[in-house]
Amino acid sequence: MTANMTANTNTKTDYKVTAALFLAFFALIAAGNLWLASAFDFPDILRQPAAERFALFQANQGAIIPAYYLMGLTSILQIFMAVAMYHLTQRRRLLDLFAVTAGVLSGIFQVLGFFRWIILIPMLANAYSSNEISADVIFFLEKFANTYLGMTVGEHLGTLFTGLWLLALGIVLVKNAAFDKKLAWLGLVAGSVLIVQSYEAVNSTALSFLADIAIALWALYGVWALILGIQLLRKQDDATPQPVPWAVWLLGLVVYLANVVPALL
């Protein structure tokens, strides 16, 4: 009985604040990806030689640094999104704690990956311009930062725990009659494919095909966040079932194709 009372204390404000987090996340990650793709050949540049990546960063860092700052903000929002969804859906189950822990860790790992471009790489660029350190040492340090903070922490662990959060939260939402089951299953699918995709960063040779479809896989998460944000904005209470309107599904499909088709051409 205590669990049910706890579950029924959410207010419209709780739902609207959570909706704002999800919609802001979607807007920032879409803007950040487009900006980086234009200024930095993202994400393909991350698999290029360190000297090539560093040279392009130096040439366009005025655009690249603020774009990565936007991406860093999405990681911070990820932490708040995980906590907010825990508040809205928790029923004192171990699964709820697993979901919020995975979501928070996902944001922390991605913060470490993204913010190297805001602090560490500009410092190396300045050292390179002033001849403070030899080019070979700078390229090695940049390659180390890209391999450890980028591929291992940001891409592998960040993506892995994003997938685990989506998977756990998807199970939570499947069991919650107030959320559309199709939306819950979209989260489960997105979580599953991101867990698989995360291993491309640790075995890029054998799993190189995953890099080619990374945008298609991540776009599932982006569309899920957009639709969930819209649904949370419309939500009135904890108990009333709320199916996703077909117009919202159509919007999600259009957004997904708009992100994926240009990347695959």
Side-chain angles (χ1 to χ4, degrees), residues 95-183:
L95 181 62
D96 299 312
L97 290 175
F98 181 88
V100 70
T101 303
V104 169
L105 286 174
S106 163
I108 292 171
F109 289 137
Q110 290 182 58
V111 162
L112 294 173
F114 285 133
F115 272 86
R116 79 186 189 276
W117 293 102
I118 300 163
I119 308 270
L120 176 61
I121 305 303
M123 181 194 73
L124 293 177
N126 290 335
Y128 181 76
S129 300
S130 62
N131 295 316
E132 183 180 346
I133 307 175
S134 71
D136 288 342
V137 172
I138 287 175
F139 292 156
F140 174 79
L141 291 174
E142 193 279 339
K143 184 178 180 179
F144 173 80
N146 185 64
T147 303
Y148 180 66
L149 290 175
M151 295 175 66
T152 305
V153 176
E155 293 183 40
H156 173 55
L157 292 177
T159 304
L160 175 63
F161 278 88
T162 300
L164 290 173
W165 176 60
L166 287 169
L167 204 60
L169 186 57
I171 296 171
V172 168
L173 295 181
V174 163
K175 296 179 177 181
N176 190 320
F179 286 88
D180 192 318
K181 294 293 186 291
K182 295 187 290 296
L183 183 58

Side-chain angles (χ1 to χ4, degrees), residues 2 23 26 117 145 152 183 212 228-229 252 255:
T2 303
L23 295 175
F26 173 79
W117 293 102
T152 305
L183 183 58
D212 298 330
L228 182 56
V255 169

Side-chain angles (χ1 to χ4, degrees), residues 33-42 56-57 59-65 67:
N33 272 294
L34 289 173
W35 197 346
L36 283 173
S38 173
F40 200 39
D41 193 26
F42 178 86
L56 185 56
F57 176 82
N60 295 337
Q61 62 179 302
I64 294 169
I65 292 173

Side-chain angles (χ1 to χ4, degrees), residues 28 43 51 65 77 81 96 117 123 125 134 186 198 234 249 265:
L28 289 180
I65 292 173
L77 284 172
M81 288 157 55
D96 299 312
W117 293 102
M123 181 194 73
S134 71
L186 177 60
S198 72
R234 298 174 58 242
W249 283 118
L265 294 178

Side-chain angles (χ1 to χ4, degrees), residues 39-85:
F40 200 39
D41 193 26
F42 178 86
D44 295 339
I45 191 66
L46 300 178
R47 297 297 185 267
Q48 300 306 314
E52 181 180 337
R53 185 169 52 251
F54 196 76
L56 185 56
F57 176 82
Q58 278 200 303
N60 295 337
Q61 62 179 302
I64 294 169
I65 292 173
Y68 266 112
Y69 192 84
L70 280 186
M71 297 298 281
L73 290 179
T74 68
S75 303
I76 296 171
L77 284 172
Q78 166 70 49
I79 296 171
F80 285 98
M81 288 157 55
V83 173
M85 286 304 295

